[in-house]
């Protein structure tokens, strides 16, 4: 069985409310793509989840959220 990230594989969209203002945040891509060199050095990749950046268009808050992988 494979464990995959539902966002990277476009299984469904995540609706993450902004912790500051409550607006639904936009998914901006994976940490590694967004921050390239910085996170590449941090060995952020884990087997259990995939880190994605979420951005709030109302207040500008950015959050890195670990999405649990699902078993296909
Ligand atoms: Zn992912
Ligand atoms: Zn916000």
């Amino acid at each position: 069985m494979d464990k995959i990230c539902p966002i990277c594989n476009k299984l469904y969209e995540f609706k993450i409310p902004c912790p500051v203002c409550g607006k639904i945040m936009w998914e901006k891509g994976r940490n590694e793509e967004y921050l390239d060199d910085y996170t590449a050095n941090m060995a952020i990749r884990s087997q259990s989840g995939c880190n994605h950046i979420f951005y709030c268009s109302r207040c500008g808050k950015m959050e890195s959220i670990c999405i649990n992988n699902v078993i296909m």
Side-chain angles (χ1 to χ4, degrees), residues 18 20-23 56 58-61:
C18 173
V20 176
C21 71
K23 186 178 165 65
C56 175
R58 182 188 284 166
C59 71
K61 171 86 176 160

Side-chain angles (χ1 to χ4, degrees), residues 4-9 27 29-32 49-52 67 69:
I4 61 164
C5 169
I7 294 184
C8 289
N9 291 275
E27 198 273 308
R30 287 161 64 213
N31 264 10
E32 298 98 80
C50 179
N51 284 282
H52 283 260
I67 305 298
N69 288 352

